[in-house]
Amino acid sequence: RPAVDKEVDFANYFCTYGYLYHQKEMLSDRVRMDAYYNAVFDNAAEHFRGKVVLDVGTGSGILAIWCAQAGAKKVYAVEATKMSEHARELVKANQVEDIVEVIHGSMEDVELPEKVDVIISEWMGYFLLRESMFDSVICARDRWLKPDGMMYPSHARMWLAPIRSGLGEQKKNDFNSAMADWYSFVDETEAHYGVNMGVLTKTFHEEHEKYFLQTSLWNNVHPNQIVGSSVVIEEIDCLTATVDDIRTVTAEFSSSVETDRTHISGFAGWFDVHFRGNAQNPARHEVELTTAPSVDDCTHWGQQVFLLHPPIRACVGDTVHVSFTMSRSKQYHRLMDVEFTTTLHASSGKSLQPRTAKFYIE
Amino acid sequence: RPAVDKEVDFANYFCTYGYLYHQKEMLSDRVRMDAYYNAVFDNAAEHFRGKVVLDVGTGSGILAIWCAQAGAKKVYAVEATKMSEHARELVKANQVEDIVEVIHGSMEDVELPEKVDVIISEWMGYFLLRESMFDSVICARDRWLKPDGMMYPSHARMWLAPIRSGLGEQKKNDFNSAMADWYSFVDETEAHYGVNMGVLTKTFHEEHEKYFLQTSLWNNVHPNQIVGSSVVIEEIDCLTATVDDIRTVTAEFSSSVETDRTHISGFAGWFDVHFRGNAQNPARHEVELTTAPSVDDCTHWGQQVFLLHPPIRACVGDTVHVSFTMSRSKQYHRLMDVEFTTTLHASSGKSLQPRTAKFYIE
Ligand SMILES: Nc1ncnc2c1ncn2[C@@H]1O[C@H](CSCC[C@H](N)C(=O)O)[C@@H](O)[C@H]1O
Ligand SMILES: Nc1ncnc2c1ncn2[C@@H]1O[C@H](CSCC[C@H](N)C(=O)O)[C@@H](O)[C@H]1O
């Protein structure tokens, strides 16, 4: 019996991918689209011409169609939701139905008639690993990739940087008014209806603290909000990584504060992926897809923001040391629990007490 | 194998009830609270003193605690979510733990040690039947209510009235801009990425028509938006109704237009319930809980609004004739599919062509 029931997983996760609305959001993300487009067409001759390709989670079918246009001999395009029907229509309308075979089903259950040269997939969630879809890519790779096959993308990295942000105060205010509202509710329920709800204050507090203060936020951070050095906390080789490698991400790192008299309101997390081919057959043009804070090249992934309450005052020359852990939520494996232990080492030599904060990526 | 898997039902339906946030929304609805409070305490001597009560879906435990305070001998309070833990705390903090027994579980699975005199429950969803929770109350009644037992509430009715509303135009505009946006998306995807998405236009249109134009809306309708007579389309006797009786609701009715030179933008649907005791032991004070359009007594249920596109022009003296059907969504039994066939009979004797519109209560 799997940890999560397939039907529950459909209700919670896959359902949104069944809507064109959602696929269109991804298809309208220029940074994302350009990266995959360039990766495929700039390396068409070496990596796609005459090759057998597997597209894990084809959605609308876009990547599979590109691979066919780039000269693939055969493309298997697997999609778990009924978006597969639309992928099939799109494949036909774009005259690649002799090459692209759309297969409706979970990657985990699908049987292919042959092994493949290339696995392409756009599997990245918020802060890379939310959704845990890379598990399905790993499963596909271990079952269907030829020994000398390659992964598109081939590498992925996770990044963290300390930021300042006005969102922290805003969330704190939201939390405070929710609590103020609760206290009047308790008073009124007692006065009007003779029931004392005070005993639930602790539960309400916890629930709302989780919601307002401990849930990471989607945000497009402006590069000038970054107040210290950005750090790579995880590197993944898509050809060799196992589910065990990515189930928990831990990192110890230091970031040097680069802005004077600032506040560290929290941390922004993002990722990038690279398309490098493999050792035997490296990419002619290496393409990078980055979701780093940017003025012009924002993506639908934005960044995940983890806010500290209260923020930490810091000066240029200080160092913030962080112990970071991210693991899967026990309740639902596609969501993440995160923990930061943060220590500020001032340039004076003094250090603040370490502070630990828990977050949920929902 | 039941139509819907229990775990899927939890993911889709019960999960929200596990949050105090949501329970508080209901507990802050004064109209709802006053009705149940008065129903229980105004009839305490006849209906609750010394009685055995079952509260189906006790949530925070509020109704069960009131029943105990009103003199019940024993109250079984059944709750499927982990809100049951908080109900237990609340029961204890309000010193009724000797009377109220909180039972964690689905009503359908629970075993009680005895039959009960009264079943109390707040099972009403949007437009009464959304959520299909009354099924669980019927199940409880058929298994656990004594032959001469009573239901709280005892009766329920569904209402419809023609309304005018600015929301129709707004939704139409939203739909039009979504489509305009889609057409530029198709052009750009062809121009930049060499893939023609035009074949998906029909699907996108259908998906967005459903979302913007065919999904009923939650709204607090102002009484002066009602442009014709309000009509009862369904009456339910909670003591005798079966699941088959409520699975499909059909009605043929006419509403006379009472506002001159107006538009029928659509229909508002709402419900009321009554607490009348039973034939052998009628309520001393009959209480009504109505969710009708109101200026001062709005409820968290609001009304469900079904908008016609385009609206129908009408004058005082005209009659709008409606064939109405509501049935359960095939995909998920707690949501509803609705159909209106509307014919305007002008006072001049002329009639417009009947028009049929489908809606989804999501
Ligand atoms: N295990 C699995 N098997 C099949 N499809 C899956 C899957 N896990 C996720 N998916 C699908 O993978 C898609 C990821 S979104 C990316 C869609 C498309 N490749 C594009 O780049 O635009 C979704 O449509 C989702 O339904
Ligand atoms: N079949 C079932 N078994 C047990 N609990 C159920 C149920 N169906 C719905 N519920 C619960 O019924 C509650 C309905 S909301 C009403 C809560 C409370 N009685 C009050 O009046 O404030 C929810 O908490 C929901 O989780």
Side-chain angles (χ1 to χ4, degrees):
Chain A
R1 192 185 137 83
V4 169
D5 186 276
K6 278 250 155 128
E7 291 186 60
V8 176
D9 210 22
F10 252 89
N12 276 322
Y13 172 63
F14 284 102
C15 56
T16 57
Y17 285 116
Y19 291 97
L20 267 183
Y21 174 80
H22 189 58
Q23 297 286 343
K24 175 169 172 285
E25 229 166 60
M26 299 185 289
L27 296 166
S28 305
D29 179 334
R30 278 285 171 88
V31 174
R32 184 191 93 105
M33 292 290 277
D34 285 349
Y36 274 86
Y37 184 85
N38 293 335
V40 170
F41 288 99
D42 290 359
N43 299 289
E46 298 82 359
H47 294 167
F48 293 93
R49 196 158 305 150
K51 301 291 191 226
V52 179
V53 180
L54 166 60
D55 179 6
V56 178
T58 200
S60 63
I62 185 77
L63 304 182
I65 293 171
W66 284 344
C67 293
Q69 292 174 339
K73 184 169 75 179
K74 180 83 196 175
V75 184
Y76 299 101
V78 177
E79 172 58 39
T81 72
K82 68 176 171 38
M83 194 49 55
S84 58
E85 292 168 30
H86 306 310
R88 216 168 269 139
E89 291 177 72
L90 204 61
V91 162
K92 206 158 174 208
N94 288 273
Q95 281 108 39
V96 286
E97 75 267 38
D98 293 344
I99 293 166
V100 178
E101 184 174 332
V102 176
I103 304 174
H104 176 89
S106 271
M107 192 64 237
E108 287 75 1
D109 305 332
V110 158
E111 296 292 328
L112 303 182
E114 61 183 321
K115 296 233 168 181
V116 304
D117 300 298
V118 182
I119 290 180
I120 192 167
S121 179
E122 201 281 77
W123 52 267
M124 296 86 74
Y126 292 151
F127 202 21
L128 194 65
L129 295 179
R130 185 179 173 277
E131 300 185 31
S132 296
M133 184 181 157
F134 191 52
D135 292 17
S136 304
V137 176
I138 290 175
C139 167
R141 181 197 69 197
D142 292 349
R143 291 180 68 200
W144 303 112
L145 190 67
K146 291 183 189 167
D148 58 347
M150 68 176 68
M151 302 295 289
Y152 257 71
S154 58
H155 296 82
R157 294 189 297 185
M158 294 168 70
W159 291 79
L160 278 172
I163 59 162
R164 61 179 169 205
S165 165
L167 285 172
E169 205 179 333
Q170 193 182 306
K171 290 287 158 187
K172 192 70 214 272
N173 288 341
D174 292 348
F175 173 69
N176 288 345
S177 17
M179 287 311 301
D181 192 59
W182 170 262
Y183 290 116
S184 1
F185 163 75
V186 170
D187 288 347
E188 284 168 29
T189 308
E190 169 97 66
H192 286 96
Y193 304 115
V195 173
N196 186 336
M197 297 256 166
V199 71
L200 300 183
T201 298
K202 186 164 164 282
T203 306
F204 189 86
H205 189 282
E206 277 168 14
E207 185 182 293
H208 282 67
E209 193 170 47
K210 179 168 174 183
Y211 180 75
F212 286 114
L213 307 182
Q214 302 192 302
T215 303
S216 63
L217 303 172
W218 183 98
N219 195 231
N220 258 316
V221 170
H222 191 284
N224 70 17
Q225 290 180 259
I226 298 180
V227 296
S229 45
S230 303
V231 178
V232 172
I233 59 155
E234 177 82 350
E235 301 204 47
I236 296 173
D237 181 340
C238 301
L239 203 53
T240 56
T242 65
V243 174
D244 279 337
D245 292 340
I246 57 165
R247 191 168 284 131
T248 305
V249 175
T250 55
E252 293 272 339
F253 67 91
S254 290
S255 169
S256 29
V257 177
E258 290 161 351
T259 309
D260 209 12
R261 292 182 195 201
T262 191
H263 284 95
I264 299 175
S265 311
F267 295 88
W270 66 87
F271 67 88
D272 55 25
V273 301
H274 293 85
F275 300 84
R276 300 196 177 123
N278 62 14
Q280 307 95 298
N281 195 356
R284 180 215 297 253
H285 285 123
E286 263 193 27
V287 171
E288 175 186 77
L289 164 54
T290 175
T291 65
S294 161
V295 178
D296 299 317
D297 294 323
C298 296
T299 71
H300 78 286
W301 285 286
Q303 292 82 40
Q304 281 292 299
V305 168
F306 306 88
L307 295 165
L308 301 173
H309 299 281
I312 303 171
R313 273 201 264 182
C315 287
V316 71
D318 293 354
T319 302
V320 57
H321 183 266
V322 178
S323 297
F324 171 91
T325 315
M326 182 167 98
S327 50
R328 299 179 177 194
S329 155
K330 285 200 189 70
Q331 276 146 52
Y332 186 53
H333 74 294
R334 295 189 188 272
L335 303 179
M336 304 288 153
D337 295 345
V338 169
E339 201 176 282
F340 284 85
T341 300
T342 310
T343 319
L344 190 84
H345 301 290
S347 56
S348 66
K350 272 203 191 164
S351 297
L352 297 186
Q353 280 289 89
R355 276 168 48 187
T356 297
K358 281 176 194 282
F359 297 95
Y360 306 92
I361 306 183
E362 292 278 320
Chain B
R1 196 186 132 84
V4 169
D5 186 275
K6 278 247 155 129
E7 290 186 62
V8 176
D9 210 22
F10 252 91
N12 277 321
Y13 172 63
F14 284 103
C15 57
T16 57
Y17 286 116
Y19 291 97
L20 267 182
Y21 174 80
H22 190 58
Q23 297 285 344
K24 175 169 171 285
E25 229 166 59
M26 300 185 288
L27 295 166
S28 305
D29 179 334
R30 277 285 173 87
V31 174
R32 185 191 92 105
M33 292 289 277
D34 285 347
Y36 276 85
Y37 184 85
N38 293 335
V40 170
F41 288 100
D42 290 359
N43 298 289
E46 298 82 359
H47 293 167
F48 292 93
R49 196 160 303 151
K51 300 291 190 232
V52 179
V53 180
L54 167 59
D55 179 6
V56 179
T58 199
S60 62
I62 185 77
L63 304 182
I65 293 170
W66 284 345
C67 294
Q69 291 174 339
K73 183 168 73 178
K74 179 83 197 176
V75 184
Y76 299 101
V78 177
E79 172 58 40
T81 73
K82 68 178 172 40
M83 194 49 55
S84 58
E85 292 168 29
H86 305 311
R88 215 167 273 138
E89 291 177 74
L90 204 60
V91 162
K92 207 158 174 208
N94 287 274
Q95 281 108 38
V96 286
E97 75 266 39
D98 293 344
I99 292 166
V100 179
E101 184 174 333
V102 176
I103 303 174
H104 176 89
S106 271
M107 193 63 237
E108 287 75 1
D109 305 331
V110 158
E111 297 291 329
L112 302 182
E114 61 183 320
K115 297 233 168 182
V116 306
D117 301 297
V118 182
I119 290 180
I120 193 167
S121 180
E122 201 280 78
W123 51 267
M124 297 85 76
Y126 292 151
F127 202 21
L128 193 65
L129 295 179
R130 183 177 175 280
E131 300 184 30
S132 296
M133 185 182 156
F134 191 51
D135 293 17
S136 303
V137 176
I138 290 175
C139 168
R141 180 197 68 198
D142 293 349
R143 291 179 68 201
W144 303 110
L145 190 66
K146 290 184 190 168
D148 58 348
M150 66 175 68
M151 303 295 288
Y152 258 70
S154 58
H155 295 81
R157 295 188 297 184
M158 293 167 70
W159 291 79
L160 279 172
I163 58 161
R164 63 181 166 203
S165 165
L167 285 173
E169 204 178 335
Q170 193 183 306
K171 290 288 158 187
K172 191 73 214 271
N173 289 342
D174 291 348
F175 172 69
N176 289 345
S177 21
M179 287 312 299
D181 193 58
W182 170 262
Y183 290 116
S184 6
F185 164 75
V186 170
D187 288 348
E188 284 168 29
T189 308
E190 170 96 68
H192 287 96
Y193 303 115
V195 174
N196 186 336
M197 297 257 166
V199 69
L200 300 184
T201 299
K202 185 162 164 281
T203 306
F204 189 86
H205 189 282
E206 277 168 15
E207 185 183 291
H208 283 67
E209 194 170 45
K210 181 169 172 181
Y211 180 75
F212 285 115
L213 307 182
Q214 302 191 303
T215 303
S216 62
L217 303 174
W218 183 98
N219 195 231
N220 258 316
V221 170
H222 191 283
N224 70 16
Q225 290 180 259
I226 298 179
V227 296
S229 45
S230 303
V231 179
V232 172
I233 58 156
E234 176 81 351
E235 300 203 49
I236 296 173
D237 181 341
C238 301
L239 202 54
T240 56
T242 65
V243 174
D244 280 337
D245 292 339
I246 57 164
R247 192 169 282 131
T248 304
V249 175
T250 56
E252 294 271 340
F253 67 91
S254 290
S255 168
S256 29
V257 177
E258 290 162 353
T259 308
D260 210 12
R261 295 186 192 196
T262 191
H263 283 94
I264 299 175
S265 310
F267 295 87
W270 66 88
F271 67 88
D272 55 25
V273 300
H274 293 86
F275 300 83
R276 298 195 180 125
N278 62 13
Q280 307 93 298
N281 196 356
R284 179 216 296 251
H285 285 123
E286 264 194 27
V287 171
E288 175 185 74
L289 164 54
T290 176
T291 66
S294 161
V295 178
D296 299 317
D297 293 323
C298 297
T299 71
H300 77 286
W301 285 286
Q303 292 83 39
Q304 281 291 299
V305 168
F306 306 89
L307 295 165
L308 302 173
H309 300 281
I312 304 170
R313 273 201 267 180
C315 287
V316 71
D318 294 352
T319 302
V320 58
H321 182 264
V322 179
S323 297
F324 171 90
T325 314
M326 181 167 99
S327 50
R328 297 179 179 195
S329 157
K330 284 198 189 72
Q331 275 145 52
Y332 186 53
H333 75 292
R334 295 189 187 271
L335 303 179
M336 305 287 154
D337 295 346
V338 170
E339 202 176 281
F340 283 85
T341 299
T342 310
T343 319
L344 191 85
H345 301 290
S347 55
S348 68
K350 272 203 191 163
S351 296
L352 297 186
Q353 281 288 91
R355 277 167 49 186
T356 295
K358 281 177 194 282
F359 296 96
Y360 306 92
I361 306 182
E362 292 278 321

